[in-house]
Structures are given as structure tokens and as C-alpha cells.
Amino acid sequence: MDKPFTIYGARGAGSVPVEAALTLAGAPYRLIEEPSLSAPLRDRRAGAVNPLRQVPALVLPDGGVMTESAAILIWLAERFPEARLAPPPGDPARPAFLRWMAYVSAAIYSLYWIRDDLSRLAADEAHEAVLAERTAERIAFCWAQMDAQVAPAPFILGETLGVLDLYVAVVSRWGPRRARFYREAPRLAEVVRRVDAEPRLQAFWAERFPFAPGWEGSAP
Ligand SMILES: N[C@@H](CCC(=O)N[C@@H](CS)C(=O)NCC(=O)O)C(=O)O
């Protein structure tokens, strides 16, 4: 039996696509749940391995540590090639894969450091409202630009559900949430609905990011 991975994570957070990838790969892992991401920094369990105290943080079977969701997902796809979670090096779809993994991380996910606690950058409440609105618009714009440049068939890079699909399916559930995402990104909307409905992930979604009543939000 392989030594398990250890993942520091939280329900609905950026660890969820990593946990989903481990699940699809059939890799054993131990989850260390962060009780609250709004807890004071010093109380975060992830601090044991990640000086930024963020999730996801993945401890590898050899004791090495990885942070950064995109890097972890890319590496897991390489580590478990039989799970076909990404086009391998040399594949014609590899450049698009790397491009969109970095794009979701840098152009979109990074904005949640602001959105998750607007007082990190805002000087006062009025400023917070402006930041909330403008970051939501930027996220919607970035999804629309990505949507215009992909041709899912039926997943983003082709026939198989991969880590890029998992990443988009989870990040698109955060504010301004799915109702807006569906409007901005109709092609990616088809993909994420497939990922939501993936039979191998039904128990996983119910546990880690449930489709609770009203989960899709309403588009402004
Ligand atoms: N660039 C990091 C961002 C990770 C991140 O922002 N994680 C959030 C949860 S989704 C977190 O831990 N937030 C708490 C904090 O930043 O204090 C990645 O892609 O993994």
C-alpha cells in the first residue's frame, strides 16, 4: 500500500479540486481540515507546512511539501498518468493546458485573496463595496475571455475529465457564483455541469462542496 498524501484543506476551498483529483486518481490521502479560513492566521493548521497558512497544502509521501493549487494539480496529473487527468508533455493540447491552468490561478483565483477579506486592501466600507463590485466584474470578464477561446469536446481539452475541468468547476462556484458564470461563459457552463454530474464524484461533492439550495446564486 502506497504511503498516503496529506492534504490541508477546507470545504468549498481551493483544496477541493486537489482532493477531487486525488479521488479520481484513486490515491490514498489524509485530510487535515481547516476549521475556519477566517480564523486568525496563527490558528490555521496549514501553518504547520505552509508559511502563508493557506490551503491547499499537500504533503507528499516522501515528506516534500507543495503549495499553489495549479502546480499541485499539474503535478498530480503527471504523477498519476493512468488517470488521464491532463495532456502529457508532448501532447498537442499541452500548451493550452498549461496556459489555462496558470490563467485560472493568476487571473482569477488570486483575486479571492482580496474578496475573501476586503479589509485587506480597502480603507473603509465604501471602498470595500467598490472592491467587491470591481473584482466580481473582473472575474466575470476573465471567464468570458477564456470561454471565447476554448472549444470543449466535451471537456475543456477533449474527451476526458481532467484537472483543468475540476479547477474551473470549483473556482466558478465562488462569487459572483455560477449564475453569473453561466451567462458569461456558456461553453464552460456545459463543462462544469458535466463535472458537477460526474458519477465518480457524487459522494465527494456531497461531502466537500455540497449543492445546497440556492448554491448557484443569481446573476446580477
Ligand atoms: N495561490 C494559492 C491561493 C490559495 C488560497 O488563497 N487559499 C485560500 C482558500 S481558497 C486560503 O487559504 N485563504 C486564507 C488566507 O489567505 O488567509 C493557490 O492557488 O493555492
Side-chain angles (χ1 to χ4, degrees):
M1 174 90 170
D2 289 344
K3 253 184 104 182
F5 289 85
T6 299
I7 173 88
Y8 289 79
R11 286 191 172 80
S15 60
V16 171
V18 174
E19 298 166 33
L22 287 163
T23 301
L24 290 180
Y29 66 94
R30 183 170 71 104
L31 175 68
I32 299 188
E33 180 76 3
E34 207 65 68
S36 166
L37 288 173
S38 50
L41 271 176
R42 65 172 181 281
D43 295 338
R44 307 245 183 91
R45 292 178 176 167
V49 295
N50 180 3
L52 292 191
R53 297 172 186 268
Q54 293 180 325
V55 301
L58 184 70
V59 184
L60 311 184
D62 69 1
V65 174
M66 283 192 83
T67 63
E68 296 305 318
S69 51
I72 295 171
L73 289 166
I74 292 167
W75 184 82
L76 284 175
E78 282 172 15
R79 170 68 186 73
F80 298 101
E82 63 288 354
R84 301 175 67 209
L85 293 171
D91 189 288
R94 185 76 176 177
F97 168 66
L98 294 174
R99 175 189 181 193
W100 296 122
M101 290 300 294
Y103 180 92
V104 172
S105 172
I108 299 173
Y109 191 167
S110 63
L111 293 174
Y112 290 93
W113 185 80
I114 303 169
R115 289 179 62 81
D116 286 350
D117 179 357
L118 293 159
S119 71
R120 281 171 168 156
L121 292 189
D124 53 39
E125 278 183 21
H127 194 190
E128 285 188 12
V130 172
L131 278 184
E133 211 257 320
R134 289 186 182 170
T135 52
E137 290 309 309
R138 173 68 182 171
I139 289 164
F141 173 81
C142 288
W143 285 130
Q145 297 313 306
M146 180 175 175
D147 194 74
Q149 296 177 77
V150 294
F155 294 101
I156 300 172
L157 298 170
E159 283 175 15
T160 53
L161 191 168
V163 293
L164 178 60
D165 305 290
L166 295 171
Y167 206 20
V168 172
V170 171
V171 175
S172 64
R173 291 183 63 176
W174 303 338
R177 301 174 69 190
R178 277 285 187 81
R180 179 75 189 271
F181 175 82
Y182 297 150
R183 200 178 77 203
E184 301 290 344
R187 293 194 265 196
L188 290 171
E190 299 289 308
V191 174
V192 296
R193 287 189 171 110
R194 268 183 211 109
V195 179
D196 297 343
E198 168 61 36
R200 292 172 295 166
L201 290 173
Q202 290 314 294
F204 175 83
W205 293 135
E207 175 62 26
R208 300 303 291 157
F209 207 170
F211 302 111
W215 69 276
E216 289 165 304
S218 52

